[in-house]
Amino acid sequence: MTYDTKGVWRCYEIKTSVSDFRSKSKNTFVGHLNYYVMPHELFTKVRDEIPAHIGVYVNGISVDKRAKRQELLIDEQVLKDSFIRSLDREHQKFYKSQSKTIIQNTERKLRNLEQSKERYQQENRRLTMHLQHKFGRNWRQIIGWE
């Protein structure tokens, strides 16, 4: 998964064979833009089985089929929290490796994610207060959010 500065989540499923592509294991397509990543030979075999909204990267370089934007399938805050937990796990692994460069880079990424989380929480509070001021305490019901 990736998350860019415009708030777009991209999810990637790596497929290496026809059996892998057709397996019943759950795809992690929860992002705004979702892609399969596969070798060209596999793409030619399964091209017609790929849903219209899923994009394809062939050989990790070119986009043979563009993804169509869709709504997130899970709450964005859940994705962000999962990203932070994942980064923390990686940080712990690197920290144990004693590589100062890796530790510093990972700590910087973690700080950036924590700052982003705080900005989103502040914006959420600001918007909530605005809606409450405009519509009153029952603003969620009034705008049809509940």
Side-chain angles (χ1 to χ4, degrees):
M1 291 176 62
T2 63
Y3 179 69
D4 68 20
T5 57
K6 295 178 183 174
V8 176
W9 289 92
R10 288 176 176 82
C11 295
Y12 304 88
E13 271 291 323
I14 298 170
K15 298 298 179 182
T16 58
S17 66
V18 173
S19 60
D20 181 24
F21 179 82
R22 292 180 181 153
S23 75
K24 300 297 179 191
S25 60
K26 186 158 173 67
N27 290 322
T28 55
F29 291 144
V30 297
H32 293 113
L33 299 168
N34 301 289
Y35 300 91
Y36 282 118
V37 179
M38 61 182 64
H40 189 266
E41 300 78 31
L42 176 58
F43 177 66
T44 59
K45 292 176 185 174
V46 300
R47 173 181 292 191
D48 296 336
E49 300 174 53
I50 299 170
H53 64 285
I54 305 295
V56 178
Y57 278 94
V58 171
N59 296 329
I61 299 170
S62 65
V63 178
D64 275 23
K65 183 177 174 295
R66 294 202 181 274
K68 293 185 177 119
R69 188 179 172 100
Q70 60 183 22
E71 293 298 316
L72 293 176
L73 296 181
I74 62 175
D75 182 66
E76 186 169 20
Q77 191 60 49
V78 171
L79 286 174
K80 289 177 184 173
D81 291 345
S82 295
F83 229 46
I84 290 170
R85 281 192 304 276
S86 176
L87 186 57
D88 184 59
R89 279 191 305 272
E90 292 301 310
H91 175 263
Q92 294 302 321
K93 281 192 255 180
F94 292 133
Y95 186 78
K96 290 175 184 173
S97 77
Q98 301 299 316
S99 169
K100 289 185 181 185
T101 303
I102 293 173
I103 293 169
Q104 290 169 345
N105 288 340
T106 305
E107 286 175 341
R108 179 182 44 79
K109 288 177 185 177
L110 184 57
R111 279 192 306 276
N112 289 342
L113 280 171
E114 288 170 345
Q115 290 170 355
S116 292
K117 179 182 175 184
E118 181 61 31
R119 280 194 308 274
Y120 283 113
Q121 287 173 334
Q122 288 174 356
E123 181 67 4
N124 182 43
R125 285 191 291 272
R126 187 187 70 75
L127 291 171
T128 299
M129 294 300 292
H130 176 74
L131 288 168
Q132 189 171 0
H133 177 73
K134 185 170 183 170
F135 297 107
R137 288 183 157 197
N138 297 328
W139 66 268
R140 285 182 175 91
Q141 292 173 332
I142 293 169
I143 66 170
W145 201 349
E146 288 183 348

